[in-house]
């Protein structure tokens, strides 16, 4: 996590390790905790290793066959809505402050991590909290100067944490005193920055769990009446050490085995003994990986560049400078919004998406000015690729200019943070991707 503050009484600064070194004491203790307190058998012989490109990751001491299980955790080893429901002291605290308030599950998990961070050595999850990274490279922790320098993505970065939700949590806990120490929760016990850190940890490290199964397990409990969305996420200690790759598929299940529910992951790939095992976080472009997880993948074959209607409007403004007779009826933009044509507009390695090509043709080539003629144009025959070629080049150049400007601005910032350096490299990667796309035209 970002910053040096940790759990009171718990040393959280992880020692630096080189490639192949033994795991830290914190990770060793986490493994013992999972085995002895959470009854995890580790049948797939998983072990932690440090890799030069991905950092901490997981290997197996035996070969993993294709389409086989890679980890099988008792559900009680996950931090879930059930963990919250089973914690009587935390539930009492929630009931005191909530009233009729309905919480998002991610917010409840964040508050639960904060609570366990606060109680320190008394926390049943202290071994998991010790294992978490002490520095987050999430772009949300860029400096103010860095965020100002990168308008091409700063709005997405800021939106990665729902600020109105932060304020709402603070409001509900504002006058509440901690039952264990008598201190005020906000801003003393749960400082805003720490809340955001744990919120982002929940955002990036939770796994999907089938909500119907969780509801069945919690049937009749008070906690189900406190949530506003599906209980479909949980933190999975040790499992969250798997790194991401788009080259594999991962299947999850939550099922009863005997008297106990188990959360199981299977992989579509095979892995040799001692080879790093990857799971797939989803078919994400680099922007989503950066915003959600704080990293990106050079050569990501799921990469695409989203294009907004504002980008199209800016393209039209630029074109009007050289094409004085370019006239587009304003109701065409309304028609695009009304028919959701501005959704799924993107550029990827294969070219322009269907909606993006249609919108460019509709606005820049089609000469119809009467709305009753729009439908056959938009939902009829696909536009001729050759007629759009120059406009597509203009659009790519417009996007490229924005990314290049942000990169230049960022490189002028003195002493980039670690988050800023990752964003800098992300901008370079996206510029290279768009340059390749431009070369195809």
């Amino acid at each position: 996590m970002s910053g040096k503050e940790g759990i009171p009484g718990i040393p959280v600064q992880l020692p630096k390790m080189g490639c192949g070194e033994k795991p830290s004491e914190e990770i060793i203790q986490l493994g013992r905790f999972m085995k002895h307190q959470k009854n995890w058998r580790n049948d797939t012989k998983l072990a932690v290793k440090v890799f030069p490109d991905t950092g901490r990751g997981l290997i197996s001491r035996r070969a993993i066959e294709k389409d086989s299980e890679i980890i099988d955790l008792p559900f009680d080893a996950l931090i879930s809505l059930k963990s919250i429901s089973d914690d009587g002291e935390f539930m009492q605290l929630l009931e005191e402050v909530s009233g009729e308030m309905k919480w998002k599950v991610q917010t409840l998990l964040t508050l639960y991590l904060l609570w366990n961070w606060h109680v320190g050595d008394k926390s049943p999850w202290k071994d998991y909290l010790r294992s978490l990274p002490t520095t987050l490279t999430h772009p949300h922790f860029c400096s103010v100067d860095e965020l100002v320098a990168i308008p091409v993505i700063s709005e997405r970065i800021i939106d990665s944490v729902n600020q109105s939700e932060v304020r709402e949590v603070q409001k509900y806990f504002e006058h509440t005193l901690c039952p264990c120490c008598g201190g005020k929760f906000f801003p003393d016990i749960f400082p805003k920055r720490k809340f955001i850190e744990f919120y982002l940890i929940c955002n990036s490290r939770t796994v999907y769990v089938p909500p119907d199964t969780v509801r069945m397990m919690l049937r009749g409990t008070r906690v189900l009446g406190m949530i506003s969305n599906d209980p479909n996420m949980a933190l999975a200690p040790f499992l969250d050490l798997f790194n991401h790759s788009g080259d594999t598929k991962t299947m999850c299940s939550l099922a009863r085995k005997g008297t106990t529910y188990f959360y199981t992951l299977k992989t579509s790939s095979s892995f040799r003994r001692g080879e790093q095992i990857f799971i797939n976080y989803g078919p994400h472009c680099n922007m989503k990986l950066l915003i959600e997880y704080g990293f990106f993948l050079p050569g990501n074959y799921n990469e695409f560049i989203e294009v907004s209607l504002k980008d199209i409007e800016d393209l039209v403004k630029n074109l009007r400078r050289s094409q004085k007779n370019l006239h587009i009826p304003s109701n065409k933009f309304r028609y695009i919004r009304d028919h959701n044509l501005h959704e799924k507009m993107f550029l990827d390695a294969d070219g322009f998406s269907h909606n993006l090509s249609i919108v460019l043709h509709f606005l820049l080539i089609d000469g119809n000015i009467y709305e009753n003629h729009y439908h056959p144009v938009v939902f009829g025959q696909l536009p001729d690729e050759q007629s759009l070629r120059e406009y597509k080049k203009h659009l790519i150049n417009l996007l490229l200019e924005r990314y290049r400007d942000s990169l230049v601005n960022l490189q002028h910032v003195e002493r980039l943070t670690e988050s800023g350096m990752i964003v800098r490299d992300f901008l370079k990667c996206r510029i290279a991707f768009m340059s390749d796309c431009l070369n195809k035209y």
Side-chain angles (χ1 to χ4, degrees):
M1 290 176 290
S2 181
K4 301 299 182 184
E5 64 270 56
I7 305 173
I10 296 179
V12 296
Q13 182 63 47
L14 301 183
K16 294 182 179 180
M17 295 186 289
C19 178
E21 287 188 23
K22 292 181 180 179
S24 65
E25 182 62 27
E26 289 80 7
I27 294 296
I28 293 171
Q29 289 299 327
L30 175 65
R32 290 172 179 164
F33 162 75
M34 295 292 285
K35 177 181 178 180
H36 298 298
Q37 296 187 43
K38 295 301 178 182
N39 301 313
W40 175 45
R41 296 194 303 265
N42 193 12
D43 292 331
T44 48
K45 307 300 180 187
L46 296 176
V48 179
K49 186 177 177 180
V50 180
F51 296 86
D53 296 328
T54 58
R56 274 189 327 202
L58 289 175
I59 63 167
S60 174
R61 296 191 182 95
R62 65 174 177 81
I64 299 290
E65 300 298 324
K66 184 178 179 181
D67 298 324
S68 64
E69 178 185 300
I70 53 174
I71 193 168
D72 192 35
L73 292 176
F75 188 68
D76 283 344
L78 276 62
I79 301 177
S80 66
L81 197 63
K82 184 176 184 300
S83 311
I84 292 172
S85 179
D86 291 343
D87 191 319
E89 190 173 17
F90 184 72
M91 280 296 298
Q92 183 178 349
L93 174 64
L94 271 184
E95 290 176 327
E96 287 177 7
V97 302
S98 294
E100 298 301 315
M101 170 73 175
K102 301 285 186 180
W103 302 94
K104 291 181 180 178
V105 173
Q106 181 173 343
T107 305
L108 281 184
L109 288 173
T110 302
L111 289 170
Y112 192 57
L113 286 185
L114 273 169
W115 169 252
N116 281 276
W117 168 74
H118 172 62
V119 298
D121 279 328
K122 296 178 182 178
S123 166
W125 299 100
K126 60 182 181 295
D127 290 305
Y128 175 63
L129 289 166
R130 283 172 172 154
S131 75
L132 293 172
T134 58
T135 301
L136 291 184
T137 56
H138 191 284
H140 188 88
F141 297 110
C142 285
S143 68
V144 173
D145 287 343
E146 289 167 346
L147 289 173
V148 170
I150 50 174
V152 71
I153 58 170
S154 56
E155 185 175 335
R156 291 283 300 271
I157 292 171
I158 294 168
D159 288 345
S160 62
V161 175
N162 189 329
Q163 296 298 325
S164 63
E165 197 169 347
V166 176
R167 289 192 294 271
E168 187 139 299
V169 169
Q170 289 178 311
K171 180 186 76 174
Y172 274 89
F173 279 88
E174 186 177 8
H175 301 296
T176 305
L177 300 181
C178 174
C180 71
C181 69
K184 290 184 67 173
F185 279 100
F186 282 103
D188 302 331
I189 297 173
F190 293 176
K192 180 179 178 181
R193 181 181 177 87
K194 185 58 66 176
F195 177 89
I196 291 173
E197 287 177 1
F198 280 124
Y199 184 92
L200 293 171
I201 283 172
C202 288
N203 199 42
S204 62
R205 301 176 83 89
T206 48
V207 296
Y208 172 83
V209 291
D212 290 343
T213 308
V214 176
R215 287 184 185 277
M216 184 180 65
M217 280 192 272
L218 295 174
R219 190 169 46 204
T221 61
R222 295 169 293 169
V223 75
L224 282 180
M226 295 181 170
I227 58 174
S228 62
N229 59 341
D230 282 336
N232 61 0
M233 59 196 309
L235 289 153
F238 210 89
L239 183 153
D240 60 11
L241 295 171
F242 283 117
N243 287 314
H244 165 75
S245 171
D247 293 328
T248 186
K249 292 181 180 177
T250 313
M251 295 70 70
C252 72
S253 64
L254 177 58
R256 186 192 291 271
K257 298 179 184 180
T259 59
T260 305
Y261 279 91
F262 282 81
Y263 185 81
T264 307
L265 278 188
K266 291 186 176 181
T267 176
S268 65
S269 303
S270 60
F271 296 93
R272 297 186 304 273
R273 179 177 179 271
E275 179 184 10
Q276 183 171 191
I277 301 172
F278 291 97
I279 64 174
N280 195 324
Y281 298 174
H284 300 320
C285 70
N286 277 336
M287 179 71 82
K288 186 170 180 65
L289 288 175
L290 180 76
I291 298 298
E292 297 284 333
Y293 301 99
F295 71 90
F296 67 95
L297 297 175
N300 181 4
Y301 48 74
N302 290 310
E303 177 68 316
F304 65 88
I305 311 294
E306 289 180 303
V307 178
S308 68
L309 197 54
K310 174 67 166 56
D311 295 328
I312 302 299
E313 291 170 346
D314 290 342
L315 173 65
V316 170
K317 289 177 185 177
N318 287 353
L319 290 172
R320 279 177 175 152
R321 293 175 189 146
S322 57
Q323 301 178 27
K324 302 298 183 183
N325 60 345
L326 180 62
H327 175 70
I328 301 172
S330 59
N331 62 3
K332 282 197 170 186
F333 285 97
R334 189 193 71 236
Y335 183 92
I336 289 169
R337 292 187 181 91
D338 289 347
H339 291 82
N340 298 319
L341 299 175
H342 60 297
E343 296 179 358
K344 296 183 179 177
M345 295 199 306
F346 60 84
L347 163 68
D348 64 15
D350 294 324
F352 281 50
S353 69
H354 175 79
N355 278 18
L356 182 52
S357 293
I358 288 294
V359 165
L360 290 175
H361 178 266
F362 180 52
L363 292 175
L364 301 172
I365 295 176
D366 172 59
N368 286 295
I369 60 173
Y370 300 109
E371 194 157 339
N372 59 339
H373 293 161
Y374 291 168
H375 203 75
V377 173
V378 169
F379 297 99
Q381 188 174 356
L382 288 173
D384 174 52
E385 173 65 27
Q386 189 61 34
S387 65
L388 289 175
R389 182 175 293 272
E390 288 302 313
Y391 293 120
K392 289 182 175 182
K393 287 167 62 177
H394 278 296
L395 179 57
I396 296 174
N397 275 314
L398 173 69
L399 299 172
L400 261 172
E401 183 180 1
R402 291 177 178 173
Y403 274 82
R404 285 170 175 156
D405 287 346
S406 287
L407 177 59
V408 169
N409 293 340
L410 190 61
Q411 288 174 327
H412 286 155
V413 174
E414 190 174 352
R415 294 178 184 172
L416 291 179
T417 64
E418 188 174 357
S419 297
M421 286 185 251
I422 291 174
V423 171
R424 176 198 61 197
D425 294 340
F426 162 80
L427 293 173
K428 290 179 180 178
C429 187
R430 281 225 146 172
I431 289 169
F433 174 80
M434 284 188 282
S435 297
D436 287 344
C437 292
L438 186 62
N439 289 336
K440 294 178 182 179
Y441 289 93

